[in-house]
Amino acid sequence: MDYTNLSKQLKAISDPNRLKIIDLLSCGTMCACDILEHFEFTQPTLSHHMRILQDAKVVDAEKVGKWQHYTLSQSFEESFPLNIANLLANDENCICHCKNANKKEDLIYEKS
Amino acid sequence: MDYTNLSKQLKAISDPNRLKIIDLLSCGTMCACDILEHFEFTQPTLSHHMRILQDAKVVDAEKVGKWQHYTLSQSFEESFPLNIANLLANDENCICHCKNANKKEDLIYEKS
DNA sequence: ATTTCACATAGACAACCCTCTATATTTAAA
DNA sequence: TTTAAATATAGAGGGTTGTCTATGTGAAAT
């Protein structure tokens, strides 16, 4: 598991305003000015948030005339929930392979 | 969707070291000293990380003798992946109800 | 050609985060 | 009772973040 990379995506989405942006984009493509209508902050602040989401490959951008069209990136939509499931799963990918868990003296050991 | 609350959980887990802690705990309960063996940083730093995870209700702690036993909280394991899926889903919970998406002049409108 | 619109960039500032060293607390062991 | 072990707390330092105002840029409209 690549903690550094997953951490970057999590940092990118772990702001309440950026979560709302992602929720808006889950409905489909939107341009910056339409997104901005849903917020109280200024246009440069939105531009800052969109750059963070693009740098983290959470959102794709395409310029159409004067407008920037933003879309949730397919790789994010597909792989991010899988990465979260993988993180929480107790399976062969688990870092500790269950060697170090539940080994305190008040817990029962398996016979060796 | 409660962006503020989801943001707090995301911020809590969006650090590479805390992601590794969560991955370790996905195998089961561990005490602080066992977790610490997997890291280079100092004991007070681990204590700091565990407090953040507890405050965000990601991890539960139980003191047993000298040891602190840490476990992934059941509510986190269950509800967090659902919240992520909900965020990305284009469904009735979507903030915009699809009213504002895809409305630019270069896109086709549905007949009304 | 000039203006307007949509968006990006620069720089500043306060708040927060991660890590450290030093020290306190609590529990068990000697 | 003293000591040792496991963990928590306090405080500091350097880095990062979210927001702002001011300004730049590029495309469309007049």
Side-chain angles (χ1 to χ4, degrees):
Chain A
M1 168 119 15
D2 183 348
Y3 303 117
T4 304
N5 199 58
L6 182 53
S7 162
K8 282 176 185 164
Q9 282 199 321
L10 286 165
K11 276 187 201 300
I13 74 171
S14 70
D15 171 273
N17 289 320
R18 291 198 290 270
L19 281 176
K20 188 170 165 182
I21 292 169
I22 291 167
D23 204 5
L24 286 167
L25 292 180
S26 73
C27 301
T29 297
M30 292 180 76
C31 76
C33 57
D34 284 342
I35 297 172
L36 188 58
E37 285 177 3
H38 292 82
F39 294 95
E40 302 296 324
F41 51 60
T42 62
Q43 175 269 320
T45 296
L46 177 64
S47 199
H48 164 80
H49 285 310
M50 299 316 296
R51 172 123 313 279
I52 287 173
L53 291 172
Q54 286 177 77
D55 288 348
K57 308 272 177 61
V58 170
V59 159
D60 290 328
E62 187 195 9
K63 189 151 195 174
V64 179
K66 289 190 294 189
W67 294 280
Q68 272 287 11
H69 283 204
Y70 294 109
T71 314
L72 284 188
S73 91
Q74 198 177 354
S75 71
F76 175 74
E77 284 192 285
E78 288 172 359
S79 68
F80 182 71
L82 291 178
N83 286 336
I84 294 299
N86 211 285
L87 178 74
L88 299 180
N90 176 6
D91 60 11
E92 72 277 2
N93 295 313
C94 179
I95 184 179
C96 67
H97 302 293
C98 300
K99 281 185 304 195
N100 294 299
N102 305 318
K103 75 170 186 187
K104 276 293 153 211
E105 46 271 55
D106 57 321
L107 297 173
I108 296 164
Y109 286 90
E110 287 180 328
K111 292 176 181 175
S112 58
Chain B
M1 167 118 16
D2 183 349
Y3 303 117
T4 304
N5 199 57
L6 182 53
S7 163
K8 281 177 187 166
Q9 283 198 320
L10 286 165
K11 277 187 199 300
I13 74 172
S14 70
D15 171 273
N17 288 321
R18 290 199 290 270
L19 280 176
K20 188 171 166 182
I21 292 169
I22 291 168
D23 204 4
L24 286 166
L25 292 180
S26 73
C27 300
T29 297
M30 291 180 76
C31 75
C33 57
D34 284 342
I35 296 173
L36 188 59
E37 285 177 2
H38 291 81
F39 294 95
E40 302 297 325
F41 52 59
T42 62
Q43 175 269 319
T45 296
L46 177 63
S47 199
H48 163 79
H49 285 311
M50 299 315 297
R51 173 123 312 280
I52 287 174
L53 291 172
Q54 286 176 76
D55 289 349
K57 308 273 176 64
V58 170
V59 158
D60 290 328
E62 187 194 10
K63 189 151 196 176
V64 180
K66 289 189 293 190
W67 295 280
Q68 274 286 12
H69 284 202
Y70 293 109
T71 314
L72 285 188
S73 90
Q74 199 178 353
S75 72
F76 175 73
E77 285 191 285
E78 287 173 0
S79 69
F80 182 71
L82 291 178
N83 286 335
I84 294 299
N86 211 283
L87 178 73
L88 299 180
N90 175 7
D91 60 11
E92 73 278 2
N93 295 313
C94 180
I95 184 178
C96 66
H97 302 293
C98 299
K99 281 184 304 196
N100 293 302
N102 304 320
K103 72 171 187 185
K104 278 293 154 210
E105 47 269 58
D106 56 321
L107 298 174
I108 295 165
Y109 285 89
E110 287 181 329
K111 293 177 183 177
S112 58

